[in-house]
């Protein structure tokens, strides 16, 4: 555990060279280590997302959480920025890929980097974590209850997203999936479908489903928080990143 | 649940928002998803905004589904009581 850390705001070049905000947390110690890109949930670049970023620093990683809504609402509070981003149709997939790739490059350029970078995302970020792992060079990916990795996106949705089924053959990193058995987005059937596809493709993955847990069980400031699922989930994340992001 | 479902309505009116300032409410964004503040797992959320204005100029509502239906019913009842000649 690295309780002494440095957490700060930086600006990094994101997709297409756009400057975006990012929250960085790093252990205050000199040793080679992996990096973690934290993809925030749909409600935005909020306190909870930054707490998660600091927790990865405590675990011994350089961690960065880019503000995916920097462009829509620079300087706005996270909830206002999330409202604008939602009203404008959400984050385009190509831009997300570019921003995550830029965040990974930022981490690999740190003098403490061992060259390995993992990505983790929650809620909409869970899908985006898989998307990033299909399109960028990362060493491990974690999907926390991301909807529409599989399954049909209803046609009336104004958000311009598709499922990722056609991209899964390009998944380039081991995937840890953490899901609530009571969740409807993604539903247990959609998780089953993802499991079948990854098995057929011969992709390394590890899934865990928590009985009694719904969506957003890691969100400790929301009624959806599930202590048992979140605690077990954190332990599995720790072991997973330990296995794939070590020196 | 993250349904991503988002419905828009163009509007013409005013709302009183941050800093007790009035602003032109030109758009309502309506969705059923996790709230930021309300103590419910999911809520019907309404953002009243000026699409051409500052993102912070927003009136946000997070209502339980039951509350949202009660609000709709109250609006309908109030509108139904309006004499035809005043409806525009």
């Amino acid at each position: 555990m690295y309780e002494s850390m440095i957490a700060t705001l930086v600006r990094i070049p994101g997709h297409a060279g756009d400057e975006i905000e990012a929250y960085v947390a790093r252990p205050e110690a000199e040793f080679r280590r992996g990096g973690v890109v934290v993809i925030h949930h749909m409600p935005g670049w909020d306190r909870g997302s930054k707490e998660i970023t600091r927790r990865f620093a405590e675990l011994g990683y350089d961690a960065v959480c880019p503000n995916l809504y920097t462009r829509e609402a620079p300087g706005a509070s996270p909830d206002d920025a999330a409202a604008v981003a939602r009203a404008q149709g959400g984050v385009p997939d190509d831009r997300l890929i570019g921003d995550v790739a830029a965040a990974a490059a930022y981490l690999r350029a740190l003098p403490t980097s061992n060259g390995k970078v993992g990505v983790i995302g929650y809620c909409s970020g869970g899908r985006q974590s898989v998307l990033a792992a299909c399109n960028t060079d990362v060493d491990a990916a974690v999907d926390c209850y991301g909807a529409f990795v599989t399954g049909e996106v209803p046609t009336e949705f104004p958000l311009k997203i598709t499922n990722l089924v056609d991209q899964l053959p390009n998944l380039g990193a081991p995937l840890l999936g953490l899901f609530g058995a009571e969740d409807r987005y993604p539903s247990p059937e959609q998780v089953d479908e993802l499991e079948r596809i990854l098995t057929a493709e011969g992709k390394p993955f590890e899934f865990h489903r928590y009985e009694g847990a719904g969506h957003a069980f890691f969100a400790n400031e929301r009624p959806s928080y599930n202590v048992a699922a979140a605690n077990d989930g954190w332990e599995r994340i720790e072991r997973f990143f330990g296995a794939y992001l070590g020196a | 649940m993250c349904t991503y479902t988002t419905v828009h309505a163009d509007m013409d009116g005013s709302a009183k928002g941050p800093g007790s300032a009035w602003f032109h409410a030109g758009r309502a964004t309506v969705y059923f998803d996790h709230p930021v503040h309300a103590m419910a797992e999911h809520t019907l959320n309404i953002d009243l905004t000026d699409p051409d204005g500052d993102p912070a100029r927003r009136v946000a509502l997070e209502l339980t589904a039951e509350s949202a239906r009660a609000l709709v019913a109250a609006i309908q009842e109030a509108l139904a009581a309006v004499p035809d000649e005043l409806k525009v």
Side-chain angles (χ1 to χ4, degrees):
Chain A
M1 287 294 166
Y2 297 90
E3 289 168 323
S4 181
M5 69 178 72
I6 297 169
T8 188
L9 296 174
V10 298
R11 300 188 75 85
I12 63 174
H15 178 67
D18 298 344
E19 192 178 75
I20 60 170
E21 295 173 300
Y23 183 76
V24 176
R26 305 176 62 203
E28 197 177 37
E30 295 297 321
F31 64 97
R32 295 276 175 177
R33 58 224 184 201
V36 176
V37 179
V38 178
I39 303 177
H40 62 69
H41 56 173
M42 203 156 168
W45 193 55
D46 57 3
R47 180 185 293 125
S49 303
K50 290 162 188 156
E51 281 178 0
I52 288 167
T53 308
R54 289 196 297 276
R55 185 152 175 173
F56 283 112
E58 186 185 286
L59 291 173
Y61 298 99
D62 293 320
V64 60
C65 181
N67 179 3
L68 303 176
Y69 303 153
T70 303
R71 299 167 184 84
E72 278 82 6
S77 67
D79 59 326
D80 288 340
V84 174
R86 176 185 279 271
Q88 293 183 1
V91 174
D93 280 352
D94 59 342
R95 198 179 87 186
L96 180 281
I97 294 165
D99 283 355
V100 171
Y106 170 83
L107 290 170
R108 288 191 172 112
L110 294 173
T112 47
S113 173
N114 67 4
K116 305 231 174 112
V117 170
V119 60
I120 185 168
Y122 303 79
C123 175
S124 55
R127 175 184 171 279
Q128 291 167 331
S129 180
V130 178
L131 176 71
C134 292
N135 293 278
T136 64
D137 176 23
V138 294
D139 300 283
V142 184
D143 167 10
C144 299
Y145 37 77
F148 303 120
V149 175
T150 59
E152 291 307 311
V153 182
T155 50
E156 71 271 20
F157 273 23
L159 296 198
K160 305 291 183 286
I161 64 162
T162 59
N163 70 38
L164 303 178
V165 169
D166 62 340
Q167 302 192 43
L168 291 172
N170 301 325
L171 182 69
L175 179 68
L176 173 65
L178 302 172
F179 306 101
E182 314 303 322
D183 200 346
R184 303 308 305 161
Y185 294 89
S187 67
E189 294 74 25
Q190 290 167 348
V191 176
D192 289 343
E193 185 186 353
L194 179 56
E195 196 164 10
R196 279 196 302 274
I197 293 170
L198 295 178
T199 302
E201 292 287 338
K203 303 292 185 185
F205 70 95
E206 178 186 332
F207 282 4
H208 300 280
R209 307 159 189 243
Y210 296 101
E211 294 297 327
H215 195 76
F217 58 77
F218 279 112
N220 59 13
E221 78 282 24
R222 293 166 185 265
S224 57
Y225 182 49
N226 183 299
V227 179
N231 285 356
D232 187 80
W234 269 111
E235 288 172 15
R236 292 185 188 278
I237 292 165
E238 192 174 340
R239 282 200 293 274
F240 182 75
F241 277 163
Y244 292 106
L245 304 183
Chain B
M1 172 167 84
C2 267
T3 64
Y4 294 83
T5 305
T6 306
V7 182
H8 298 297
D10 290 329
M11 309 177 67
D12 185 16
S14 292
K16 197 170 184 181
S20 289
W22 286 90
F23 65 92
H24 175 242
R27 176 136 98 156
T29 305
V30 182
Y31 49 101
F32 191 74
D33 213 327
H34 306 294
V36 172
H37 187 269
M39 279 293 109
E41 205 158 315
H42 310 104
T43 49
L44 188 285
N45 306 318
I46 305 172
D47 293 322
L48 300 177
T49 59
D50 176 357
D52 302 320
D54 181 344
R57 291 208 311 198
R58 176 172 73 111
V59 169
L61 289 176
E62 297 178 333
L63 304 170
T64 63
E66 187 182 0
S67 305
R69 287 192 194 97
L71 176 62
V72 170
I75 291 171
Q76 296 284 23
E77 186 178 339
L79 285 174
V82 176
D84 283 343
E85 63 269 25
L86 294 184
K87 290 179 182 169
V88 287

